[in-house]
Amino acid sequence: DGEAEEGAAEEGAVEGDPPTSANAETPVEEEEPDVVEELEWTPNDKLRRISEVNVEFIPYSYQVNSKKEELILEYVANFDRQFVDLYPSRAPRLLCPLN
């Protein structure tokens, strides 16, 4: 028993360490899945769901803006123009994203 423990200690092998060329006959190669190819073929769920939506069943109010919403969008556009005039070097703002 004592000789086996001394031999392992001399080689620097610790229990639980992955085998390397120093403490095993063949090195261990880890295979990583090709993530790039997998992502290229993965469909975008949101685009798929949008393409499957039948517009005929969606209420008209969901498809267009009301007069109040149009007025608010005009206020937002005016604020954005004023902000750009005051702070031209600032990054563009995302005030009202497309739905």
Side-chain angles (χ1 to χ4, degrees), residues 2-13:
E3 292 176 9
E5 290 176 5
E6 290 175 5
E10 289 175 5
E11 292 179 12

Side-chain angles (χ1 to χ4, degrees), residues 5 8 21 32 54 75 94:
E5 290 176 5
S21 58
E32 295 180 15
N54 189 351
Y75 282 126
L94 179 62

Side-chain angles (χ1 to χ4, degrees), residues 6-75:
E6 290 175 5
E10 289 175 5
E11 292 179 12
V14 177
E15 185 176 330
D17 278 351
T20 61
S21 58
N23 60 3
E25 294 178 10
T26 57
V28 175
E29 294 181 18
E30 294 181 18
E31 295 182 20
E32 295 180 15
D34 195 3
V35 178
V36 175
E37 286 183 12
E38 184 177 314
L39 290 177
E40 288 177 353
W41 297 105
T42 304
N44 185 334
D45 287 337
K46 182 177 180 181
L47 293 177
R48 182 184 51 79
R49 286 192 313 265
I50 290 172
S51 68
E52 294 173 356
V53 171
N54 189 351
V55 182
E56 296 173 2
F57 298 115
I58 296 177
Y60 185 70
S61 62
Y62 287 15
Q63 300 175 28
V64 296
N65 292 329
S66 68
K67 290 186 182 209
K68 286 183 180 181
E69 291 170 332
E70 290 292 338
L71 180 63
I72 291 170
L73 290 173
E74 287 179 26
Y75 282 126

